[in-house]
Amino acid sequence: MWTERRRRRRRELLLLLLVVAAAVAVAASAQEAALRVGFYRATCPIAEDVVLEEMRLILMEDDTLAPSLLRMHYHDCFVQGCDASIMLRSRKGKKTERDALPNRSMRGYDAIERIKARLEAVCPLTVSCADIIAMAARDAVYLSHGPWYDVETGRRDGKVTVAEYVENDLPPPDSNIVDVKTFFSVKSLNSKDIAVLFGCHSIGTSHCGPIQKRLYNFTGNMDQDPSLDPAYAAELRKLCPPPRPGGGDDDAGGGGVPGEGKTKVPLDPGSNYTFDLSYYRHVLATGGLFQSDGSLLHDPVTRGYVEKVANASSPDEYYADFAAAMVKMGRTDVLVGDLGEIRPTCSIFVD
C-alpha cells in the first residue's frame, strides 16, 4: 500500500511538473508572439528611421560607442530580460545594475537618452527604452559594416534593478566552456548561439584587468594560460604589465567585455571597429583575448562553428546566423502587453 501511495504521489508530481513546464512554454510563446517586426508601424512609423538617424550622428561623433551599445543590449537581456533595467538609477545609494562590476565601464547611456528624447518629441510615451536599446544595437552593428537585420519590437520597460543579478547572470571573462554554456542555457541559448553571439567581440576593446590572470597567474602558480598563443601572449604582456600591489585602473575588473581603462586592448586586432569574420580567425589562431573566447575551441560544436566561419569565403551565412541569434536573445524574458511601462526618459530614479 505504501508503494502504491508513493507511485501515485510520484505520478502527481510528474503531472504537476508537466503542467508547470507547459505553462512556462505557453508564457514564453505569448511573449514571443507579442513581439513583432513593425510593432510601431501604426503608432510611430518613423521610430526606426529616427533611431538609425541618431545612431549615424552619434557614431560620427564617437565611433567607439558602437561596441558599447551592442554590449548594452547583451547586458540588458541577460539580467532580468530585455527590459531596459540597465538604465535605472538610485537616489538612495542602492546598488543598481549600472553599479555592478561588469557594468562600471559601460558607456552609451547618454546616447540612449538622446535617441529617446528625439522619439518623445514625435511619438510621446510610445517607444520603449528596451526597444531603443535593441534597435541601437542592430544599428551599431550595421554602421560598423556588419549586417542589417529586422528587429522585433513591442518590449516594455522594467521597474526593478538589482546589482547582484548582474554578477550572477553574466559569464565573467575567465569562464571556461562549461560555465559559458551554463550561463547561456539559462537564457535558452544553445551552443551554436554561443559561438554566433561571441562574434560581437568583432568590435571593441578591453582594458587589461580581465586578462591579467590569464597572462600572469592562470592557475595560481604565476603561470600563463597554455592555450594562449605564445606570440600573441608576448604582445599582450607588452601592453598589460602584471597587476600592481593594491590594484589600479588597469587592474579593475570590467566584466570581460569592451570597456574603459588606461590601456586599450583590441578584441579583434587589426579590425576592432569593423564587424567581420576576422574575430573567428583570431580566436582560431591565437585563442582570443579572453579565456571565454578561447573556450569556444574546447567544445566540439562551438569549435566546429569557429572553424567554419574562420574559413568561410563569404560572411553571408554568418550574418544570417547572427541575425537569428540576436533576435532569439532579444526575446529573453521580455515584458509585453500590460506588463512594465513606457517611460518618458530611460534613466529614471527608482526610489
Side-chain angles (χ1 to χ4, degrees), residues 19-346:
V19 170
V20 170
V24 170
V26 168
S29 298
Q31 286 180 329
E32 292 179 16
L35 294 179
R36 64 179 184 274
V37 175
F39 179 86
Y40 297 109
R41 194 167 290 136
T43 57
C44 189
I46 63 171
E48 294 205 33
D49 293 335
V50 169
V51 176
L52 179 58
E53 180 183 341
E54 282 299 315
M55 281 294 295
R56 286 187 190 279
L57 295 173
I58 287 164
L59 297 186
M60 283 176 62
E61 296 166 13
D62 183 359
D63 62 356
T64 68
L65 283 175
S68 297
L69 290 167
L70 177 56
R71 173 192 174 201
M72 184 182 289
H73 182 41
Y74 160 57
H75 279 215
D76 184 41
C77 288
F78 262 59
V79 182
Q80 299 190 97
C82 313
D83 66 348
S85 56
I86 194 171
M87 298 290 297
L88 297 173
R89 305 175 74 176
S90 170
R91 286 191 183 94
K92 298 182 178 178
K94 169 188 169 184
K95 288 197 171 183
T96 67
E97 290 178 32
R98 291 171 70 144
D99 302 314
L101 182 61
N103 286 336
R104 287 181 193 167
S105 60
M106 183 72 71
R107 300 168 59 233
Y109 298 113
D110 290 344
I112 298 299
E113 289 291 10
R114 172 173 165 175
I115 297 168
K116 177 64 170 174
R118 274 285 313 274
L119 286 168
E120 284 299 301
V122 292
C123 306
L125 294 178
T126 302
V127 183
S128 71
C129 300
D131 280 342
I132 292 171
I133 291 172
M135 290 186 280
R138 184 267 313 277
D139 294 349
V141 170
Y142 175 65
L143 295 171
S144 299
H145 309 288
W148 175 271
Y149 57 92
D150 289 328
V151 171
E152 294 178 338
T153 46
R155 302 168 189 81
R156 289 169 65 86
D157 301 324
K159 306 175 186 179
V160 177
T161 179
V162 181
E164 288 81 1
Y165 294 167
V166 179
E167 291 159 15
N168 290 338
D169 291 349
L170 289 172
D174 58 355
S175 297
N176 59 38
I177 191 59
V178 174
D179 292 337
V180 171
K181 288 171 73 172
T182 300
F183 277 101
F184 275 70
S185 67
V186 171
K187 309 303 177 185
S188 299
L189 297 167
N190 59 33
S191 294
K192 180 181 178 181
D193 297 324
I194 292 169
V196 172
L197 290 171
F198 264 53
C200 290
H201 286 179
S202 176
I203 55 176
T205 59
S206 173
H207 53 237
C208 291
I211 61 171
Q212 283 173 326
K213 178 183 175 184
R214 194 179 191 199
L215 291 174
Y216 297 107
N217 196 23
F218 185 62
T219 65
N221 294 311
M222 308 303 290
D223 55 343
Q224 180 179 292
D225 181 356
S227 69
L228 191 61
D229 176 72
Y232 180 50
E235 293 177 19
L236 293 176
R237 290 167 76 98
K238 290 177 184 176
L239 291 171
C240 299
R244 299 185 299 274
D249 288 346
D250 276 355
D251 301 326
V257 282
E260 297 178 324
K262 289 182 178 179
T263 302
K264 296 293 182 71
V265 184
L267 295 173
D268 183 12
S271 181
N272 57 310
Y273 288 107
T274 301
F275 194 94
D276 54 23
L277 306 186
S278 63
Y279 163 78
Y280 291 96
R281 299 178 189 123
H282 174 59
V283 169
L284 190 60
T286 69
L289 182 64
F290 301 132
Q291 184 182 341
S292 55
D293 291 318
S295 78
L296 297 178
L297 303 178
H298 303 156
D299 174 85
V301 174
T302 54
R303 183 185 181 95
Y305 193 84
V306 170
E307 291 174 342
K308 181 173 75 169
V309 177
N311 293 296
S313 58
S314 164
D316 292 349
E317 182 178 355
Y318 172 67
Y319 284 175
D321 288 343
F322 180 78
M326 287 294 284
V327 169
K328 185 176 179 181
M329 184 185 76
R331 296 170 177 165
T332 304
D333 297 329
V334 292
L335 301 174
V336 295
D338 295 328
L339 300 175
E341 63 184 2
I342 304 295
R343 300 198 282 267
T345 58
C346 299

Side-chain angles (χ1 to χ4, degrees), residues 9-25:
R9 186 174 179 182
R10 184 178 178 185
R11 284 196 298 268
E12 290 171 352
L13 179 58
L14 288 172
L15 180 59
L16 177 61
L17 289 174
L18 288 172
V19 170
V20 170
V24 170

